[in-house]
Amino acid sequence: MLIPEEGGVAVSNVALTAILIANMIFAVIVVFIERKRPVDALAWLLLFSFLPVLGFVIYLFFGPRFWTKRKFRLKKVDDQRLQQLIDSQHQELAWMQARAPDEAADYLALARMNLVQAAAPIALGNQMTFFTHGDEKFAQLLADIEKAEKFIHIEYFIFRDDAIGRRLVAALTNRAAAGVEVRLIIDDWGCKLTSDALFNPLRQAGGKVYRFLPVTLSFAFNVNYRNHRKIVVIDGHIGYVGGMNVGDEYLGMDSQRSPWRDTHLRIVGPAVSSLETRFLLDYVFVSGEDVELGERYLPSEVPWSGQSPIQIVSSGPDSKEQHVKQGFLKMINSAHETIYIQTPYLVPDDSLLEALKIAAFSGVDVRIMIPGKPDKRFVYNVTKYYAGELLQAGIRIFLYDGFLHSKTISVDGRFLSVGTANMDVRSFMLNFEVNAFIFDADAASEHDHIFQRDLANCREFTLEEYRKRGLWRKFIEGVCRLFAPLL
């Protein structure tokens, strides 16, 4: 039946009024209840204005943070235990100072901040191996899994049902059938295309598999919070952390973006206990199990395997502070000579942007390597925008001829961080991340050697090239940059 013209007008007016009221309600939530940063609030208000209906839906899925404290009730370190942890670290801090007295001020300031703010203990006596290609990393990982005797704990953002994914499941299934405890956490959003059937053999052999924050109709809002961590702990003394997920592309099998370049660490020594602690906290959260901590998982004495002091620092929407980002800022602010950064996405917030500029203005040689072949065009437009802004401050930008997925930062060839956090606002604010902060000049020098080797596979992105881009490219980058806080 046709609606009379007057009725149609009335319906339109009601709809318009409802939209305006909804706009006001969401504006109040963004500005007064959630108290987002001004730049974030303006981005959301702009989205509401341009997309008054769709913007509400997008906000419901990607914007609200006021329920995260209740959602993410992960186990915390109370004030008394934190003070006990700090008091117990005098020996470690003294050892670091004695080992590198000329660098102690920078070392200790960063170590103390991570200790106090992130409850990250300093673990001495670690041995590390860098992996820059998936073939090497997975060959070693599979060999370590084959030798496991007590337990294997694994946590990945992406776990694909492809050749390497099936090989890894088969290896885990074999160990589970032999009586080894196997626990696996995968991120539900990162594994949205991975069927649970892949893990049926592992479950049937006694392994346990959980999805982190399942995105279902009942929990649709989980889509914005992603467990981006990549952790493996084997028998409490071997650990893995870094940028590589489980997928054939990490073995160079992505023809569109090849070569695929990443960085991953294998750690042997006391720092593995910190990786295990991080895994167990996440496991208790997703499984609801009451896991008894003790010598089996967290032995009181772990023999030294090397000389590297390491702190394992975690951050996420369950944290009051952005611990990994704060560690990056402290490193950048302490630089005197060089800062080398590798990141697939360059979307810094204001604090990081200014820190990098100030370092360059102070004469520090700042070099940032980003992909030459992107995987996310929208984010790459934002990356290019910020690359141009940093070029104008004298920072050198290099485009890797392939897809660079490595997440590293090294300062003055003295200390570095390797982990899962990208140099972007999503990693700092919304993702669950974990990074190793390494206080070892030998390890930093090895990283810098790898960085210099990668430069041979790069071309420099110059300020002249940036200024020559066309009006349409400038427009696209500018529009995408407006929504950077929403990424």
Side-chain angles (χ1 to χ4, degrees), residues 449-467:
H449 175 75
I450 295 171
F451 188 95
Q452 295 293 336
R453 187 180 67 198
D454 287 336
L455 288 176
N457 199 40
C458 293
R459 72 172 182 86
E460 188 162 2
F461 183 48
T462 65
L463 185 57
E464 180 182 6
E465 178 184 352
Y466 177 73
R467 287 173 173 167

Side-chain angles (χ1 to χ4, degrees), residues 139-213:
Q140 183 63 63
L141 176 60
L142 289 167
D144 288 336
I145 287 173
E146 187 177 352
K147 298 174 184 176
E149 298 178 351
K150 295 188 297 183
F151 65 86
I152 304 168
H153 291 165
I154 298 185
E155 184 171 0
Y156 276 108
F157 173 58
I158 295 173
F159 198 120
R160 299 201 190 281
D161 186 357
D162 55 18
I164 188 60
R166 291 189 287 272
R167 276 188 70 190
L168 189 53
V169 169
L172 294 173
T173 301
N174 287 338
R175 298 316 297 149
V180 176
E181 174 189 286
V182 178
R183 289 170 169 167
L184 171 63
I185 301 172
I186 58 174
D187 182 75
D188 190 63
W189 180 257
C191 296
K192 60 185 180 296
L193 299 180
T194 302
S195 170
D196 280 338
L198 172 66
F199 308 105
N200 284 343
L202 175 57
R203 290 191 177 97
Q204 292 168 4
K208 297 183 178 180
V209 182
Y210 289 93
R211 288 179 177 261
F212 195 95
L213 290 180

Side-chain angles (χ1 to χ4, degrees), residues 336-354:
H336 300 289
E337 299 175 4
T338 61
I339 299 173
Y340 295 156
I341 294 172
Q342 291 183 323
T343 180
Y345 316 115
L346 182 61
V347 189
D349 65 2
D350 290 342
S351 63
L352 203 60
L353 193 66
E354 288 303 307

Side-chain angles (χ1 to χ4, degrees), residues 32 54 101 146 185 187 314 338 358 383 396 441 485:
F32 297 105
L54 182 60
E146 187 177 352
I185 301 172
D187 182 75
S314 303
T338 61
I358 290 171
T383 291
R396 300 179 70 184

Side-chain angles (χ1 to χ4, degrees), residues 74-89 115-116 118-121 273 277-278 280-281 291 293-294 298:
L74 303 185
K75 186 177 179 181
K76 301 292 184 181
V77 178
D78 58 41
D79 292 340
Q80 182 178 0
R81 289 184 62 199
L82 177 59
Q83 189 58 51
Q84 291 174 350
L85 176 62
I86 295 171
D87 292 341
S88 70
Q89 292 278 285
L115 176 62
V116 174
S273 292
T277 300
R278 178 69 270 161
L280 290 175
L281 291 175
V291 179
L293 305 181
L298 302 172

